[in-house]
Structure formats: C-alpha cells, structure tokens
Amino acid sequence: MGRPALRKIDPSLDLSRHFLEAATLPQPWSSEVIFGRQAPLEVEVGTGKGMFLRKAAAGTPEVDFLGIEIALKYAKYAAAGLAKAGLTNAAVIHGDAVRFFAEWLPDQSVHAVHVYFPDPWWKKRHWKRRVMRESFVRDIARVLVPGGRLHFWTDVAEYFQESLALIAACTCLDGPL
C-alpha cells in the first residue's frame, strides 16, 4: 500500500520566497540573498512534507531554516506549508542534498544539520544510494560551525550503528548525545 496522495497546493499561494531550485542558487551559498539577513542556519536533509521545518521555523524565528528535498512534489508541498504559515525564516530547495553540501555550502556555515529517517535502501547493492555515506558525512563535518550539531534519527538499528561507525571513522564529531 503506497502513501496517500498529497493535498493539492492552493494555486494562489506565492511560493517564490519559499521554493527554490538548486540550479538557481548563489554559489557559494549566501543566506543573506535568500533570507535577507545574517542569522544562524540549520539545514534539514529530506524535508518530506515539511512538518519539522514548519515547527522549527515557527518556534525559533531568530534562526534560518533550509530544507532540501529531492522529490519535486514534496519540496513544493513543504514550501507551500511555509508560505501558508507566513514563515520568512525558512525555505525549501528542490535538489540533491549531497551535491548541495559538496558544491554550495561553505566551511563552517551551518549551526545544525537534521537528517530524520532517511531511506535505508535495504538491499546491499543499493547502499551506495544511502545519504549517510563517507563523502556526505565529511561534508556535514566541514560545514558545521565549531560546536554545531548533527541530528540523525533512523528507526533501522543496523543503519544507525553503521552510521555511527562511519561518523566516528570520518569526522571528529562527538556523539551520540
């Protein structure tokens, strides 16, 4: 049984401030261009429907939040939720997070990275598609400010243990806390 269909997005909703295509972004990344201010930045990888992004942005207006979603329909849906809520401190990028971290984000530019319940890609031959891989974990450590945090949750115990081992082997990040 598949996921239920997403609700339709109100066509009168202006998504221009909340929905961004990766190819149109300034390189290197500039929060000031997107958010019009300099504030701590937190990035969510795999925004899905945008529930975390909406709640976090509403609860901490002094922080800017950026969601990255590879699926276009989910990126637009999450952006619509932000627009509907009138949140000016959050936006969603439609694109590949692994590439975005490698090519756009400068060193020590992010205060927290959130990766919640990524696809575990169960079959061993598909593990190369997992988001928690060496190159990405190194990029997370590179973009985090000193004292920055990686929030990683999964409900797959094996994936969690493998990710912890990878983080320990590739970075100086402490954890889990």
Side-chain angles (χ1 to χ4, degrees):
M1 181 179 197
R3 292 182 179 171
L6 295 175
R7 285 188 219 133
K8 293 194 185 239
I9 297 171
D10 179 355
S12 68
L13 209 52
D14 179 13
L15 300 182
S16 62
R17 186 173 189 346
H18 297 94
F19 176 77
L20 310 164
E21 288 285 353
T24 66
L25 296 174
Q27 204 169 5
W29 171 257
S30 170
S31 286
E32 290 177 19
V33 171
I34 304 304
F35 297 107
R37 67 178 187 169
Q38 189 65 25
L41 178 67
E42 297 195 16
V43 180
E44 182 187 20
V45 175
T47 307
K49 294 179 183 177
M51 186 169 62
F52 166 78
L53 209 57
R54 277 191 316 279
K55 294 205 182 266
T60 26
E62 69 279 4
V63 175
D64 289 334
F65 290 89
L66 187 64
I68 306 171
E69 176 57 55
I70 201 162
L72 177 62
K73 68 181 180 178
Y74 282 94
K76 283 189 173 181
Y77 187 87
L82 296 172
K84 193 173 179 183
L87 297 166
T88 58
N89 64 325
V92 178
I93 294 173
H94 169 236
D96 180 2
V98 173
R99 185 170 172 222
F100 182 76
F101 271 69
E103 297 178 18
W104 273 272
L105 288 175
D107 296 357
Q108 298 183 359
S109 59
V110 176
H111 284 73
V113 175
H114 303 267
V115 184
Y116 299 127
F117 303 99
D119 191 331
W121 292 102
W122 296 100
K123 296 178 182 174
K124 190 164 185 159
R125 70 177 182 262
H126 294 160
W127 284 3
K128 63 184 176 258
R129 296 181 186 152
R130 286 182 171 180
V131 73
M132 296 303 281
R133 54 185 138 178
E134 186 175 344
S135 62
F136 185 61
V137 168
R138 286 186 193 278
D139 278 329
I140 290 171
R142 177 185 60 77
V143 305
L144 283 173
V145 300
R149 292 178 168 256
L150 165 61
H151 301 272
F152 172 70
W153 295 358
T154 178
D155 52 358
V156 179
E158 179 184 340
Y159 191 16
F160 180 72
Q161 293 304 324
E162 289 168 3
S163 296
L164 285 182
L166 180 65
I167 291 165
C170 298
T171 74
C172 295
L173 297 175
D174 293 332
L177 299 176

